[in-house]
Amino acid sequence: MTSEIAPHLLAWYDRHHRSLPWRVTPDDRAAGVINDPYAVWLSEIMLQQTTVKAVKPYYERFLERWPTVKQLAGAEDEDVMRLWAGLGYYSRARNLIACARAVADDHGGRFPETAEGLSKLPGIGPYTAAAIAAIAFDESVAVVDGNVERVFTRLYSIDTPLPKAKTEIKARVSEALPKTRAGDFAQALMDLGATICTPRSPACAICPLLEDCEAGGAGNPEAFPVKPPKKVKPVRLGAAFVASRPDGSVLLVRRPDKGLLGGMRVVPTTDWTARQDGATDTDAAPFPASWEKKGQVIHVFTHFELRLNVFHALVTSDDKSAGTFDAFLDARWSDAEDLAGEALPSVMKKAITIALPEAFRPRKPGKD
DNA sequence: TACTCGTGGTT
DNA sequence: TAACCAAGAGT
């Protein structure tokens, strides 16, 4: 028998689709309006493991600053990292730059039009390649993200734990694909997952796929998808050293391109790579000064909790020891008025705020 | 396959 | 409030 999933879903999508900055409405699509592949790509990279609400302002700022992929390809690396700061998963920003330059240099400024071609570009994996191909180029491919995994494990009561279940999920999605409207189908599934088929307390009563859904019929949708048990987060200890000068400038260094917070600006810190490096005193300070402990930042990363002791020192002009920072990458003093615009990850804004409560406070223009 | 890689919002 | 979660990719 033929699956009725696509017709049911697309009819619902036509009425209930979300309105999003990077999305062309179904009506406009039907009228021939084409999605800009660059805009689709940019939004999809930002949306990886990131909520729509968090992405919106970043997406708007990026598109305004760099309206085309060629312009983004010509951007300074640090300018991109500055605009990405706060969004997390910073390897995405580094891959964003690499991908833009690959498209500009190797593809004449045009994105490949198939999932196969797209997936060869940096930062574009199986999901993103399929999403761009379907939404921007109407390729009929299965677009499987966390929403689709949830919807389809419920539709067919797939109790194989993720990620092992992905093979079966992709097969089920493929057989449900409509002959046209591949992009709308993909986005409709994601909208359904985000608004109806939610992780907890799904709204089965108003779901357009209720009559197609095994778990919905059985009344146990929350039993799916089955996920492996998660591990406990270890605690790591470290220290951050905020050095400031009388004019309010702050010493920043840059982290190596690879690894945690790669390519981002930070104040000098201990490694906090070990489970507990225990460097909570001034032994590990970048240079001798009157370091004073100001407090502790507790920041939860994906796979560990960081407890960062924050030290501050006011460095005066006659402090000769504060001149060489050979152990650090690209050390420089950031002016007080520039600090908010630096490529600082959230954990570093927290740490600097402990030492300098006024550092990121909006200041009145015209004063001082 | 399993681990690394951020952050802020919900429940 | 601790746990869970969000349009995953790279290694």
Side-chain angles (χ1 to χ4, degrees):
Chain A
M1 102 178 195
T2 305
S3 167
E4 293 299 315
I5 291 173
H8 290 163
L9 186 66
L10 287 168
W12 171 83
Y13 183 69
D14 287 338
R15 281 189 162 278
H16 300 288
H17 63 84
R18 289 178 294 175
S19 178
L20 301 171
W22 46 84
R23 178 178 285 180
V24 174
T25 67
D27 284 346
D28 284 347
R29 289 288 298 136
V33 176
I34 301 302
N35 276 297
D36 176 5
Y38 170 66
V40 174
W41 164 71
L42 180 62
S43 67
E44 290 298 340
I45 299 299
M46 289 183 166
L47 286 162
Q48 290 168 4
Q49 296 290 287
T50 309
T51 58
V52 166
K53 181 182 178 182
V55 164
K56 277 182 180 174
Y58 284 85
Y59 173 82
E60 303 284 9
R61 285 195 288 266
F62 266 73
L63 207 59
E64 180 179 8
R65 178 95 178 252
W66 299 293
T68 68
V69 67
K70 287 186 180 179
Q71 289 170 292
L72 180 58
E76 295 287 338
D77 288 30
E78 183 145 357
D79 285 338
V80 177
M81 304 313 284
R82 284 183 214 268
L83 246 66
W84 196 278
L87 197 55
Y89 285 140
Y90 298 101
S91 66
R92 292 184 296 173
R94 299 193 297 278
N95 283 330
L96 192 80
I97 300 168
C99 183
R101 290 176 183 162
V103 170
D105 297 343
D106 306 336
H107 298 273
R110 296 173 185 270
F111 282 86
E113 299 188 1
T114 65
E116 157 107 29
L118 287 160
S119 63
K120 294 189 171 73
L121 293 166
I124 300 183
Y127 161 76
T128 305
I132 299 171
I135 297 170
F137 301 115
D138 272 327
E139 183 180 352
S140 187
V141 287
V143 180
V144 182
D145 74 327
N147 288 302
V148 179
E149 288 172 357
R150 187 169 58 255
V151 170
F152 273 77
T153 52
R154 289 172 177 176
L155 283 174
Y156 296 101
S157 292
I158 298 171
D159 57 6
T160 306
L162 289 170
K164 192 177 175 67
K166 284 192 175 187
T167 304
E168 182 178 356
I169 293 168
K170 186 166 185 178
R172 293 295 194 181
V173 174
S174 293
E175 67 189 23
L177 286 176
K179 291 180 179 175
T180 62
R181 301 187 68 185
D184 283 347
F185 182 70
Q187 295 179 94
L189 279 175
M190 292 187 273
D191 277 21
L192 189 77
T195 63
I196 304 285
C197 196
T198 51
R200 281 165 290 185
S201 303
C204 296
I206 59 171
C207 181
L209 302 185
L210 179 57
E211 66 183 79
D212 307 293
C213 184
E214 286 188 24
N220 66 340
E222 288 185 286
F224 307 93
V226 178
K227 293 184 176 180
K230 52 189 54 176
K231 300 162 184 173
V232 293
K233 286 183 183 179
V235 174
R236 295 183 190 174
L237 304 180
F241 298 94
V242 181
S244 69
R245 299 193 294 198
D247 65 358
S249 58
V250 174
L251 179 65
L252 299 182
V253 300
R254 186 166 54 81
R255 290 184 55 94
D257 280 340
K258 293 186 178 181
L260 190 70
L261 308 179
M264 299 298 284
R265 287 281 168 186
V266 296
V267 301
T269 72
T270 57
D271 279 344
W272 30 281
T273 51
R275 279 188 351 126
Q276 290 195 352
D277 56 30
T280 57
D281 57 30
T282 55
D283 292 348
F287 51 82
S290 302
W291 295 106
E292 181 183 352
K293 184 175 177 184
K294 307 296 285 188
Q296 187 181 58
V297 167
I298 297 179
H299 189 80
V300 181
F301 290 101
T302 308
H303 54 293
F304 68 93
E305 174 185 315
L306 176 64
R307 296 179 187 171
L308 198 58
N309 288 319
V310 179
F311 294 85
H312 174 250
L314 186 62
V315 178
T316 57
S317 56
D318 53 24
D319 191 336
K320 298 183 180 62
S321 58
T324 58
F325 312 105
D326 294 343
F328 299 101
L329 212 53
D330 283 357
R332 60 175 170 79
W333 293 91
S334 178
D335 290 342
E337 62 268 26
D338 295 336
L339 205 55
E342 297 282 10
L344 292 165
S346 293
V347 62
M348 275 304 128
K349 290 196 171 184
K350 286 189 200 175
I352 294 172
T353 300
I354 294 282
L356 302 168
E358 309 294 322
F360 300 105
R361 200 159 297 178
R363 59 187 82 210
K364 300 262 182 186
K367 239 192 157 186
D368 73 12

